[in-house]
């Protein structure tokens, strides 16, 4: 098993096809074309076993507003997946640790949105966001409603941001968060 770290710009078509296959296997029909697009534009950690991609996570820069503070650029984690054949063997944790080290040198804070895996991320130091979340649309900020799966990781170790504040992201195709 080897772990590689690559910028999106360095990933060729064949690697992108193999990643799409991995996401389809890991997420089933929960993973859309927009979800795949969201995974690119930053840095990837890819686990390869015997020339086969068996795990992935990426982080992209996104502009986020905490409370009414100035907008800032943070890391947003996308497309975390381990092939079903090798899940629950520690690979997801290993990939995330490598990605977290990589993000630490680049951004002060990271966020992600997860449906079912909050426990997996909590074990890696992530906290659940407690405040309301919004999406900034052309018509202004729109409340997302309850969003139990939004999480934050303090890469710089500071107590900022306060998880009870509101948090706003910019609109994009597909899921905003
Ligand atoms: C979530 C995922 C990446 C975890 O990878 P993994 O290699 O299986 O995880 P690990 O073996 O490192 O798990 C470590 C611990 O995290 C927790 N955990 C792992 N997967 C979990 C899940 N799907 N839900 C809740 N907790 C989970 C468990 O406590 C696990 O320890 P245990 O096996 O001793 O109980 C993998 O299950 C996956 O690809 N799932 C489908 C896609 C997905 O949901 N991705 C995350 C979306 S944000």
């Amino acid at each position: 098993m080897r772990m590689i770290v690559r910028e999106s710009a360095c990933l060729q078509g064949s690697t992108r096809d193999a990643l799409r296959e991995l996401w389809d296997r890991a997420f089933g029909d929960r993973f859309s074309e927009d979800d795949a697009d969201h995974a690119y534009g930053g840095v990837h950690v890819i686990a390869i076993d015997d020339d086969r991609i068996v795990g992935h996570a990426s982080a992209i820069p996104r502009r986020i507003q905490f409370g009414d503070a100035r907008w800032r650029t943070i890391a947003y984690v996308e497309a975390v997946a381990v092939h079903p054949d090798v899940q629950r063997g520690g690979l997801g944790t290993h990939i995330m640790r490598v990605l977290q080290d990589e993000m630490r040198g680049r951004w002060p804070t990271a966020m992600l949105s997860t449906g079912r895996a909050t426990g997996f991320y909590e074990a890696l130091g992530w906290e659940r966001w407690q405040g309301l979340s919004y999406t900034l649309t052309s018509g202004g900020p729109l409340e997302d409603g309850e969003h139990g799966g939004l999480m934050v990781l303090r890469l710089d170790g500071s107590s900022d941001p306060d998880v009870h504040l509101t948090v706003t992201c910019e609109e994009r195709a597909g899921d905003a968060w």
Side-chain angles (χ1 to χ4, degrees):
M1 177 88 63
R2 62 198 172 94
M3 207 69 77
I4 61 170
V5 177
R6 293 283 186 279
E7 304 295 325
S8 297
C10 301
L11 296 182
Q12 295 170 342
S14 56
T15 306
R16 290 172 184 243
D17 290 347
L19 284 174
R20 180 70 221 213
E21 220 175 295
L22 169 74
W23 296 325
D24 287 342
R25 287 301 304 275
F27 289 93
D29 56 12
R30 289 187 287 136
F31 202 81
S32 69
E33 207 50 46
D34 287 325
D35 293 332
D37 289 345
H38 294 165
Y40 294 99
V43 61
H44 305 250
V45 176
I46 300 172
I48 300 173
D49 187 28
D50 223 3
D51 285 341
R52 184 172 73 128
I53 292 181
V54 290
H56 170 272
S58 60
I60 55 155
R62 281 196 86 182
R63 275 164 41 79
I64 298 287
Q65 185 184 36
F66 298 111
D68 56 7
R70 69 180 166 77
W71 285 77
R72 60 178 99 158
T73 301
I74 67 159
Y76 202 74
V77 171
E78 297 281 3
V80 180
V82 167
H83 194 285
D85 290 353
V86 290
Q87 282 178 11
R88 294 294 174 116
L91 182 58
T93 299
H94 188 184
I95 291 169
M96 281 303 298
R97 289 218 172 102
V98 174
L99 186 67
Q100 288 176 195
D101 282 347
E102 201 58 42
M103 292 191 295
R104 209 162 272 125
R106 305 174 186 227
W107 297 289
T109 309
M111 291 191 83
L112 59 76
S113 167
T114 179
R116 312 174 182 181
T118 43
F120 168 70
Y121 294 111
E122 275 171 339
L124 283 155
W126 292 74
E127 298 163 56
R128 291 176 197 232
W129 194 262
Q130 308 285 337
L132 291 174
S133 57
Y134 291 81
T135 303
L136 183 61
T137 67
S138 51
L142 267 191
E143 192 183 320
D144 294 318
E146 240 172 283
H147 191 288
L150 203 54
M151 303 190 80
V152 65
L153 179 69
R154 303 166 191 287
L155 296 166
D156 63 359
S158 89
S159 57
D160 179 48
D162 176 350
V163 295
H164 298 93
L165 292 175
T166 60
V167 60
T168 310
C169 69
E170 292 178 315
E171 194 172 36
R172 62 182 183 179
D175 291 338
W177 284 107

